[in-house]
Structures are given as C-alpha cells and as structure tokens.
Amino acid sequence: MSSLSLENVGKKFGSTPALAGVRLEVEPSVTGLLGPNGAGKTTLLRMAATVLAPDSGRIRILGRDPAHPHERVEIRRRLGYVPQEPGFYRNFTAFDFVDYVAVLKDIAERRRRHDEVRKVLDYVGLRDHAHQRIKALSGGMRQRLALAQALLGDPELLILDEATAGLDPEQRLRFREMISVLPQRPTVLISTHQTDDVSALCQRVVVLIAGTIRFDGTPAELAATASDRVWVDADRDERAAVSWRTSAGQFRHIGERPADAQSVTPTVDDAYLLLSGADISARSS
Amino acid sequence: MTTHLPAATIEKYAADALPYADASSVEAHVLACPACRRLVAGQVDQARLRAIWGELTDRVDEDRVRVPERWLRRLGTPAPVAKILVCTPSLRGSWLLGVVITLALAVLASRTTGGGDLPFLAVAPVLPVVGIAVSFGRAMDAAWEVGEATVTGGFPLLLIRAGAVLAACVSVTAVAAVVLPADGRGALAWLLPSLLLVVVTLVISTTRAAMPYVAATISAIWLCVVAIAAASPRTDALFGSGAQAITAALTLAAAGVLLSRRHAIESGTLR
Ligand SMILES: Nc1ncnc2c1ncn2[C@@H]1O[C@H](COP(=O)(O)OP(=O)(O)O)[C@@H](O)[C@H]1O
Ligand SMILES: [Mg+2]
Ligand SMILES: [Zn+2]
C-alpha cells in the first residue's frame, strides 16, 4: 500500500497555480522532494500533513481520505510533521514544548507522555537541553526540537519541510543519520532544495518545478537524465545552458553537448540544474 | 554533598529493606551523585531500577511545571487542558490586561457620559470575540501548524481555547459590571450578546472566511447596531427582557449550526 497518493492534485492561491496536475505515489522509504523556492514543495507537504486541502484532485494518506473528518483524525494519529517554519513558544523549555505537542497528540497519561517526551528528546540529542528555554537554544537545536515533536508516538508517516535548511555540514550529517536510522522505519517525505541531501539520504527523488512533477525516480536515475549532456573544458563554452568553474579550475558545462566535447559522468546536481536551468531559460524567453 | 552513601545503606536499599523516608533520601542523593548511582545500579535489579528512575525523573519534571499551569490545575483544570491553555495566546497577561483596561474605560464612560450603561454594554460583548479571533490560527499562535496536524487540531483545539477565552472575559466583565450605574437592565445584560457574537463568529468561520476578518466584521456590525439603538428612544429594543429572550434563542440556534458544522472548522488551516 502506498503511504501517500496524490491524483491529479491542483491548488491555486489567487490566480497563481502552486500545484497543477500532480500525480504521486509515495511508498514506504525515504523520498526527497527537490525543487527551487516557490516550486510548490510546501504546498504539497501541507496537503500530505492534512493542514491544507487541494482545490482539485484526490489525496489519500495512509490509505485514508483526509477530507473525511474521522479519517483525518486517524491520519493525524499516525503522522509526524515538521512544517517549514515550525514556530515555538520561546519562553517554554524544550521539554514543555514537546510535552505540549504530546498533549495535542492525545497522549493523555502523564507518565507515558513524559516517557515519550524524554525518548524523542534523547533521540535528537537534546537530553541535556531539555529544561532550557527555547529562546536560549541554537538554530540547529531548534531544528532538532522540531524533529523531536514530530517523532512523538512513532509516526508511520514523517513529513519534513526543509528540515535541513540552515544547518551546518556537521549538523546535516547528524540529521541525515537520525532520519535514516529511525527504529520504526516510517515513510519519510522530506523537501529540500539541496541535492546533496537527496543523494545522501533518499531512496527516491521527486523533482517539483513550478508546481508540476518533472522527475520521479531514484537519485541514480535522476543523475542519468543528464548523461551525455555534461562536459568539462578548460574554457567557458557559450553553447552550454549552465556552466561554472569547478574547484579543479576547469569549467563544467551542462546542456546540449557539442559533438567535439567529451562527456563526463553526470551527478544528481548536474541533472537537477539541467531540469531547473532549462526551466529558467524557458521562462525568461 | 561530600558524604556518600554507606555501603550498608546501599545494600539495604537494594534489598528494599529501608523505611520510606530513608529510601527517599537515598533516591535524592542518587539523583545528584553519579558515583553512588553507579553503586546502586550495580545492586538493584534492573526492572526495579527502571521503575524507580522513571518515578524520580517524573517527579523532577513535575516540579518544573510553570506557575500559571500549576494554578489552573489547582483550580481543577485537567492537566492536559491546563497545558493547552497556557499555550493560548490571548490568555497571556498582556491580553488580559488589555481586557481589564478596556472594560475600565467603558465603565468610566458609562458613569460619566450620561449614556447610562450603554458604552459598557457595547464594548463587553466584543472582547471575547476579539480574544477568540487572536487565540487561534496563524496570526497569533506561533506553533499553529504543528498543532493543526495533531488529533486535537481544528475544532477541539478551537473549542478549548474559545471556552477559556470566554470564561476569562466573562469573569473579568462580571466583576466590572458590579460597578456599573444601575438602571434597571440588570448587570447581566451584556452576557447573552457576548455569547451570541462568539457563537456567530465561530459559525461564520466554518466557511472559508478567516477568523480575524469575521471577528472584525461581527464586532463592527454589533457596534453599529448598538449605535442605532442608542439613537432611538428605546434602547430596550436591544437589551430589554424581550430582546434578551430573542438573543438567547438565536444563540441556541447558532450553537446548533456550529455543532453540525464542527468538522468544517479549521480556521488555523490555510485554504
Ligand atoms: N498561503 C499562501 N498564500 C498565497 N500564496 C501562496 C501561499 N502558499 C504558497 N503560495 C505560493 O505558491 C507557490 C508555491 O509556494 P510553496 O509551496 O511555498 O513553494 P516552496 O515550498 O517550494 O518554496 C509560490 O508562488 C507561493 O508564493
Ligand atoms: Mg517551502
Ligand atoms: Zn554519593
């Protein structure tokens, strides 16, 4: 059974479509939603988290219909959600905040709730900061706090919106580790605009650009879409759609490869740039 | 804490042979002293240790419950509800202070302008409407989106918060009403209009309208109605006993509509 299924989903804010004709089946695994700012990632994840309804199309989450009140509650029981801007009560301690969310998640019995709160704070490495006020926590710690509340009650579906944004490289590594070794192996849907998250963490990647899905497959398959379209040269090549100087001092080019250029193995980065870069040039022309 | 636990005490504690008071002081020491904790852990069987440890950390967490939450619980509020209430933006001190000042001004106006209790009756019902509008949804609740995606999100959360705001406003207003100039309408003439405005606001919010706009519109309409009534020779048209009966009936009807539409209320939700 797919954990999340979108059928022809559309959503408009005013006259601008944020999503158009989105079809997507998310299986139990770690799936990355990759796309530039404004692509519609947050809109899609909000729908998956039952906080936003589509204008058109059908959504099923964990086999249930979020438009139906009782089924929506059932979904919410099995859901963990880190919004793009989680928002905290700054004067609360980390423990209090997670405890509050645990109350909202209907873990009524105090002993069990506190055990659960301690468990998730431990998991994200905030045990020693549990009784510190949130306003005194660093950005990285707050991000882990946001993850902690989402892990309450061992969700079957974990939705993370830009959960790695603003983290330094070491924090990113720790974050990826936390996501990838979750004991209950929930379905994880994580949005990002950074390709390295996708290559490092995701079994599957969905590229969303301007509200439509432009690619759906494994990271290796995404990279392969750029095969034969990446070449390296000592000088800048005007024929490339995108080019930049690499740390090795050469120019890496992406686009329609000229016959005289030697192609190199593409990366996820190349493929993503090709997809989104092509979009930029299409829009500006 | 230089004196550690004597070996004999630890042994007795491990065998569960200490009187309650002594066992408690062992636990207090162990909580603060890693060295003795290790000694105790080596002797007490694991299941019992886990149970003791759970109870201890629980007691520590309990001590850290913040003051307003503790008061609410002492007043008989169930602990989870108390927790939600202290996270309600409009129940913060600054909001309540605003309510008190507004009411004080309204009472002052009622006593000095010769308009009788009309300024007070006009203002009091608006306060809970505004309070509820700012207690729920994106504008005021920092963690609204996290809350919205939980089982309590939507109607249950709205109901708890709206109930708390209403209770707070009604208590403060009831106190303020005592010092109103008496002119026969009774000090409770504001109560039913308050309830009606609150319930109507909630009902309209079950459509796609955003609660702050609904609250502002309803409040404005109410103030206009009061102004028109004030200009007419008989303000009793609005606050007399006949009007009160009609208000009560309308409130009940609106409450029925609200209940039947409760699943549609997702005012914190984006549309
Ligand atoms: N609540 C909203 N009101 C109006 N426009 C919105 C809202 N949410 C998103 N949008 C618009 O929808 C588009 C997609 O936004 P979003 O889903 O946030 O993209 P992403 O998360 O990929 O950056 C953008 O053009 C954005 O401006
Ligand atoms: Mg976003
Ligand atoms: Zn000791």
Side-chain angles (χ1 to χ4, degrees), chain B residues 56-178:
Chain B
L56 277 181
T57 40
D58 229 36
R59 235 183 280 159
V60 173
D61 293 333
E62 188 62 5
D63 287 344
R64 298 191 204 240
V65 171
R66 290 152 3 121
V67 174
E69 198 179 332
R70 224 177 304 158
W71 285 354
L72 283 168
R73 276 156 56 166
R74 229 167 267 165
L75 291 172
T77 318
V81 176
K83 188 99 202 169
I84 292 174
L85 293 188
V86 296
C87 301
T88 300
S90 52
L91 290 180
R92 281 185 204 132
S94 51
W95 161 257
L96 283 177
L97 190 67
V99 168
V100 170
I101 291 173
T102 310
L103 284 174
L105 290 175
V107 169
L108 196 69
S110 293
R111 294 184 75 99
T112 54
T113 58
D117 52 8
L118 210 56
F120 185 85
L121 291 180
V123 167
V126 168
L127 294 173
V129 171
V130 176
I132 288 168
V134 299
S135 75
F136 194 76
R138 280 200 288 167
M140 299 302 290
D141 183 0
W144 75 272
E145 201 172 351
V146 165
E148 191 64 30
T150 66
V151 291
T152 315
F155 192 69
L157 190 54
L158 174 71
L159 214 56
I160 292 172
R161 289 190 163 170
V165 171
L166 194 60
C169 281
V170 164
S171 317
V172 175
T173 310
V175 171
V178 170

Side-chain angles (χ1 to χ4, degrees), chain A residues 46 51 76 81 89 104 118, chain B residues 61 141 145 148 152 269:
Chain A
R46 278 181 166 153
V51 299
R76 288 177 173 181
Y81 177 40
Y89 305 123
L104 295 185
R118 269 190 291 275
Chain B
D61 293 333
D141 183 0
E145 201 172 351
E148 191 64 30
T152 315
T269 306

Side-chain angles (χ1 to χ4, degrees), chain B residues 2 8 16-17 64 78 98 104 108 111 125 127 143 161 174 177 190 203 216-217 231-233 236 242 246 250 267:
Chain B
T2 45
D16 209 1
R64 298 191 204 240
L108 196 69
R111 294 184 75 99
L127 294 173
R161 289 190 163 170
W190 52 272
V203 167
T217 309
S232 81
D236 272 2
I246 294 171
L250 287 177
S267 302

Side-chain angles (χ1 to χ4, degrees), chain A residues 11 13 46 49-53 55 69-70 72-73 76-77 79 81 83 85-89 91-92 95-97 99-101 103-106 108 110-111 113-114 118 131 133 149, chain B residues 51 54-55 57-58 60-62 64-66 69 73 79-81 83-84 86-87 92 138 141-154 157 161 208 263 266 269-271:
Chain A
K11 179 77 195 176
F13 293 104
R46 278 181 166 153
T50 73
V51 299
L52 180 68
D55 293 340
H70 299 295
R72 182 164 64 227
V73 169
R76 288 177 173 181
R77 264 185 217 297
L79 183 76
Y81 177 40
E85 281 152 21
F88 300 105
Y89 305 123
N91 283 318
F92 273 43
F95 186 95
D96 267 342
F97 181 75
D99 193 37
Y100 164 66
V101 181
V103 167
L104 295 185
K105 286 195 172 184
D106 209 16
R110 187 169 57 88
R111 170 67 61 76
R113 192 173 72 238
H114 284 190
R118 269 190 291 275
H131 295 292
R133 282 177 192 258
Q149 63 77 23
Chain B
E55 200 167 304
T57 40
D58 229 36
V60 173
D61 293 333
E62 188 62 5
R64 298 191 204 240
V65 171
R66 290 152 3 121
E69 198 179 332
R73 276 156 56 166
V81 176
K83 188 99 202 169
I84 292 174
V86 296
C87 301
R92 281 185 204 132
R138 280 200 288 167
D141 183 0
W144 75 272
E145 201 172 351
V146 165
E148 191 64 30
T150 66
V151 291
T152 315
L157 190 54
R161 289 190 163 170
R208 291 188 157 229
H263 294 305
E266 305 269 50
T269 306
L270 291 157
R271 303 289 174 172

